[in-house]
Every structure is written in structure tokens, then in C-alpha cells.
Amino acid sequence: MVKVIGLTGGIASGKSTVSSILKSLGAVIIDADVVSREIMIKGTETYNILISVFGREILRKDGEIDRRKLGNLVFADKEKLNKLNEITHPEIIKRIKDIIEEERKKGKEKAIVLDAALLIEMKLFNMVDEVWLVVVDKKTQIRRLMKRDNLSYKDALNRIKSQMSIEDKMKYADFIINNCKDFNAIKRQVELLWGRFSK
């Protein structure tokens, strides 16, 4: 049976870096963020529900949902964030389950990686064989997030606070990948962990 690795980490922790390293090593990646975009595409049922709940101001000029506008709206309001999760999470979970099934049927891979920021919050860890958690110190996390998403200190902090704390996530982790140093340091950690599936 092909193993499924759940890869997670706080926002701007370097999870995407780990995911791209794993891809280069031959892992099949299921990106929960890509799945969440797909279920919100114009014309889908989820798209229509989101507009009826949050209004047309979350749309771009081309009629697609502007995820940045939607993010700014919900990250500042816990109730709205809960509502968004209530609408999107069941659809995302269903789609991920289907993709894992499809990949497992092929049976060619050494392991499948489910890359999901909300792996624990959405209980997606129930679908995986082991959880890999990418960690970074708070100061670095805020700095990276401000730079990456062009956010103010306050907005960056709001986004971090809206997620489960790293301490709580650690309780679910089978392996912890420390991303406080340079790229080579994180690459070595990932190669060691992945090496267990290459034998």
C-alpha cells in the first residue's frame, strides 16, 4: 500500500519549499490550496454560495473570486472565517479523498504527499499515514509573510493568529522539519526523511 504523508506548517513557514523539494525527489504532491481554488472556480456550486454569503465585492473584474479580498475579509473576522470554512472544507475534503484514491489505485508511487496548511484543523491527518510539520520561529514567520504577501505587521499577525499554534500542531506531528536556517539545511532534512521510502 502506497503511504500518504501529510505535510503541514504555519503560514510562511516554508512548507511550499519542502513540497517542491519532495516533488524534485519524485513525490506525487496533492496541494490542498490548488484543490481549494478549483472548488471556487466561477460557475461551481461553492462559487455561487460564497457570493451569496460574502457579496460580489469578493470578485475580480473577470468574475472569478479574488482570494486576497476574500482573505482580508475573513482573517479580520472570526465569524466570517468560520463561515468560509463551513462552506469550503467539506468540498475540499471530498475532492482530496478522491485524488488519494485515484493515486493509490495507480500504485506506482513510493509515497503521496498531501500538502495542506490546515491539515490538522480540517482533520485531514485522518487520511494520512504520518504527519510532517515544518516549523520556523515567529519573528522569521512574520517577516516572510509581510514580504511575500505585501502585508502590514498587523495583517501578518492577524493571519498567523487565525491559525492553530505551532505548539498545538506539534502534538500531531510524527516528524518536525526545522526551517530556521538556509535552504541546504532544510533540503538535507527532507532528503533524510524521504530516503525511508526509497529503499
Side-chain angles (χ1 to χ4, degrees):
M1 181 73 117
V2 178
K3 286 232 175 188
V4 181
I5 299 158
L7 175 66
T8 193
I11 194 166
S13 62
K15 181 178 59 63
S16 300
T17 303
V18 172
S19 188
S20 64
I21 294 166
L22 284 164
K23 194 175 182 180
S24 75
L25 293 170
V28 168
I29 310 286
I30 301 169
D31 188 334
D33 206 36
V34 170
V35 173
S36 87
R37 277 195 204 105
E38 285 169 358
I39 64 143
M40 287 187 201
I41 288 170
K42 192 177 178 179
T44 60
E45 193 183 340
T46 308
Y47 170 92
N48 294 328
I49 295 167
L50 290 171
I51 291 167
S52 69
V53 171
F54 297 109
R56 299 193 70 80
E57 64 266 23
I58 63 165
L59 297 180
R60 297 193 314 233
K61 283 195 177 83
D62 63 1
E64 292 289 354
I65 287 171
D66 187 323
R67 282 161 59 92
R68 193 183 171 94
K69 281 182 189 168
L70 182 59
N72 289 339
L73 188 72
V74 300
F75 284 118
D77 185 329
K78 192 114 190 179
E79 213 171 285
K80 283 179 180 165
L81 181 62
N82 288 340
K83 190 69 195 165
L84 174 69
N85 293 344
E86 211 176 280
I87 296 163
T88 57
H89 286 186
E91 277 304 307
I92 294 166
I93 290 164
K94 183 178 175 294
R95 181 80 191 105
I96 287 170
K97 266 186 185 160
D98 291 346
I99 300 169
I100 288 174
E101 259 335 286
E102 285 162 26
E103 289 298 338
R104 271 194 157 144
K105 273 177 193 161
K106 292 178 193 171
K108 293 171 189 167
E109 301 84 12
K110 293 181 179 115
I112 300 162
V113 176
L114 172 54
D115 174 349
L118 301 178
L119 186 90
I120 292 151
E121 295 90 325
M122 287 174 69
K123 309 237 177 326
L124 292 168
F125 60 85
N126 290 323
M127 293 185 208
V128 306
D129 299 298
E130 52 188 59
V131 174
W132 295 8
L133 175 66
V134 186
V135 300
V136 71
D137 63 273
K138 183 72 92 24
K139 205 173 161 184
T140 307
Q141 190 181 20
I142 293 168
R143 193 184 69 242
R144 282 182 189 163
L145 188 54
M146 285 169 72
K147 190 181 173 188
R148 189 191 78 186
D149 293 356
N150 196 22
L151 296 173
S152 68
Y153 181 86
K154 190 183 169 207
D155 284 343
L157 206 56
N158 273 343
R159 296 212 171 191
I160 291 165
K161 280 182 181 169
S162 75
Q163 291 192 341
M164 183 190 261
S165 74
I166 285 297
E167 290 73 28
D168 283 338
K169 287 187 177 190
M170 280 179 173
K171 294 170 192 167
Y172 295 84
D174 295 293
F175 298 97
I176 289 168
I177 299 165
N178 188 312
N179 189 22
C180 295
K181 292 182 184 167
D182 61 8
F183 178 77
N184 287 331
I186 198 167
K187 191 168 183 271
R188 275 196 301 274
Q189 293 174 73
V190 176
E191 284 170 346
L192 274 172
L193 286 173
W194 181 252
R196 296 155 50 244
F197 300 104
S198 307
K199 289 172 179 132

